[in-house]
Each structure stands twice: as structure tokens, then as C-alpha cells.
Amino acid sequence: MTVGVALNATDTDNQIDASVRLAEEAAAAGLRSAWFGQTFGADSPQLAAIAGRAVPGLQVGTSAIPVFGRHPLTVAGQALTAQAATHGRYHLGLALGTKFLTEGGFGLPFERPVARLREFLTALRQLTETGTADFHGELLTAATPIPARVPGADAGVPVLVAAMGPQALRASGELADGILPYLAGPRALAEHIVPAVTAAAEAAGRPAPRIVALVHGVVTDDVDAVREKATEQLAFYEQIPSYARVIELSGGKRAVDAAVIGDERTVAEEVRRYRDAGATEVVFAGTEIAGDADRLRTWDLLGSLAG
């Protein structure tokens, strides 16, 4: 099982320089992958490309780019460029996004998100696999009057979706290479998420999907203080129906209930529970919440588990 981390260098003097330093530290700790979130700030495919090029051997990815406010042509160009820069070590993560950010930020109606995801994935796969597209859907058009190839990029960038609901899981199983569930505990994975996406992939004649479980957690001795910080940090997700549902399916009431906070033994046992629930890869996010010492302590543990 691959073990990686999500890198967050937003609270630094230079996010690009800091991201490269963190990627170097992650690789030195034995971690196999580094993932970058997408907000309204830094461009995550560029961050992944820069960090991946600076740290040979480290797999890099985005988790995840919302399909609203983007177009398959531009996202394919970003993904292929990042893949060429890293010589095939880039993984593209997509997301449905949220009503709050889509309508509040882009001024776009958050309508038919799964239908948009399906069309986005269909057009995107044409572009990343062939460098051309001729897709005309209800919601999107993607055509290439001139080629959209990036020399040096292998055909077929791995595409994963931050899917957790039944319809999104079905679309992801049929059209993507895997999923990036966040705040979905082992119970939700084993009983709901993994069976649904696996069945959809099988029905579509696709290989077994990758299950890249994003876990919010850290190794620390100051469990109560860190849990209090995490409660505040994760409260935003409780307002989003898809996250609220998966937290409940995981057996929790608050988002923090899905976090993994404790000593090395506690965290290692939870990582194994994710593996047993069907996760093919585990990526820890939020490891910076308790400071550098606990972050490095967490990375050392995760690196040993990856080995």
C-alpha cells in the first residue's frame, strides 16, 4: 500500500519554495507521494509539477480541481504539462466542488454536478489519451481544431475523483481510474464507497479502481489540544451535504470524528484499518496542525509504514 501526504505551505513567505522543501522532506522520510489541494490561490498542477521535478521519484498529484469554473481543454493542458515535467509521475484529481464556492466564487449555478462530471471526464480522457477531442454534450463542448498534445507526456494521465456519493461513485467507476475520498472512515469505505465504485468499474469493464483515502491526522502526545484545533479546522465540511453524509456513515457526528490523532501505535492501527477497508493508498492531510516537530514525527511513522 502506498502512503503519502498532502502538502500545505500557504502559511509561508513563498508557497512555491516552501512546497519544494516539504516535498524533499516527505521523500526523505520515505513517503511515496505528495498531493496539493486546489483553492482560489496557487495553481495545484503547477505546484505538483515544480515539486515533482525537484524531487525525482516522488509521485505528485492534485486533490482536487473542481469541474465547475474549469474546462477540459485547459485542465488537460495543465495535467499533460505536469506529467511531462515529472516524466509520468503526475496524478490528476477532480472534484464536484460545492454550491457555496461555485456560486459564491464563480457566479455559476451549481446545477447537475454529476452530469457535468460525466461530460468533463469523457472529454478529458479523449484529450489526455489522444491529444484531440470532438465532444459535444449537453453542458460542455470540447473540440480541437488544432492538436492539444504536449510532447513528453505519456498517453493517459491517471485521473481520480473526490467522489463519495452514489451517483459520483458510479460515474467515477465508469470513467475514472479511482477516487479520492476525504473524511470517509474505514466503515464508510468498506460498507458503502469501495463496493459501489468497484461494482461500477466492473460493470464498465474497467480495472479495479484505486482508492486513495485522504485522512486528516497527526501523531502527537497533545491529543486534546490538537483535536480542539482540528474541530475548528474541519467544521466547514459539516455544512456540505456529501461530507456530512460520509461522516455519519463512518460512525461520527462531527468532522473531527473522522480524524486520526494519537501516538504512533494509534495512528499505525488506523492506517491498517483503512487498508483493510479497501484503501489502496492512504494520504495524510493536516499534519502541520500540531507544528513541525509532530509533522515530522508523523511523516517518519508514515514513511516506515510505506516501506
Side-chain angles (χ1 to χ4, degrees):
M1 180 179 65
T2 299
V3 180
V5 287
L7 302 184
N8 181 359
T10 54
D11 190 20
T12 59
D13 292 334
N14 187 301
Q15 187 174 353
I16 312 306
D17 293 342
S19 294
V20 170
R21 288 196 298 271
L22 288 172
E24 290 170 341
E25 290 180 6
L31 292 158
R32 305 294 176 83
S33 66
W35 297 76
F36 300 86
Q38 181 63 58
T39 63
F40 291 137
D43 181 74
S44 58
Q46 287 192 65
L47 273 179
I50 292 168
R53 193 166 181 84
V55 187
L58 188 68
Q59 301 289 317
V60 291
T62 58
S63 59
I65 300 173
V67 295
F68 282 91
R70 277 85 176 178
H71 190 277
L73 278 167
T74 54
V75 172
Q78 290 176 298
L80 289 167
T81 301
Q83 193 198 45
T86 59
H87 296 272
R89 289 178 283 116
Y90 175 71
H91 307 255
L92 172 62
L94 298 176
L96 296 176
T98 68
K99 180 181 178 68
F100 171 70
L101 294 176
T102 299
E103 298 186 351
F106 291 104
L108 298 172
F110 189 70
E111 297 174 350
R112 302 181 66 191
V114 176
R116 179 173 292 272
L117 174 66
R118 282 185 172 277
E119 293 193 4
F120 201 104
L121 285 168
T122 301
L124 181 76
R125 297 310 289 255
Q126 292 180 18
L127 290 161
T128 59
E129 291 173 5
T130 69
T132 62
D134 187 19
F135 178 80
H136 302 270
E138 292 184 68
L139 305 173
L140 291 171
T141 293
T144 48
I146 58 174
R149 297 183 179 88
V150 177
D154 297 332
V157 176
V159 179
L160 303 103
V161 180
M164 294 184 292
Q167 294 184 64
L169 288 169
R170 189 177 305 114
S172 300
E174 294 171 5
L175 299 168
D177 299 304
I179 57 172
L180 291 158
Y182 180 47
L183 298 179
R187 191 170 94 183
L189 284 177
E191 297 179 6
H192 301 277
I193 292 174
V194 174
V197 72
T198 301
E202 289 178 353
R206 292 186 58 82
R210 290 167 56 189
I211 312 295
V212 184
L214 272 75
V215 182
H216 196 94
V218 66
V219 174
T220 183
D221 293 325
D222 198 359
V223 174
D224 291 340
V226 173
R227 184 177 176 84
E228 184 176 347
K229 287 183 182 179
T231 299
E232 297 176 5
Q233 190 177 77
L234 297 173
F236 166 77
Y237 294 97
E238 298 166 8
Q239 307 168 47
I240 303 171
S242 59
Y243 285 102
R245 175 180 178 272
V246 81
I247 291 165
E248 182 180 0
L249 291 175
S250 300
K253 295 182 178 179
R254 301 290 308 273
V256 73
D257 295 334
V260 177
I261 302 169
D263 60 15
E264 279 84 356
R265 180 177 178 179
T266 298
V267 173
E269 287 177 352
E270 286 300 303
V271 170
R272 293 187 186 99
R273 288 186 66 216
Y274 276 92
R275 177 199 61 197
D276 293 343
T280 58
E281 302 158 58
V282 172
V283 174
F284 262 59
T287 58
E288 72 284 348
I289 191 172
D292 281 345
D294 281 348
R295 172 179 63 80
L296 291 171
R297 182 178 169 187
T298 306
W299 289 11
D300 284 341
L301 170 68
L302 297 175
S304 69
L305 297 175

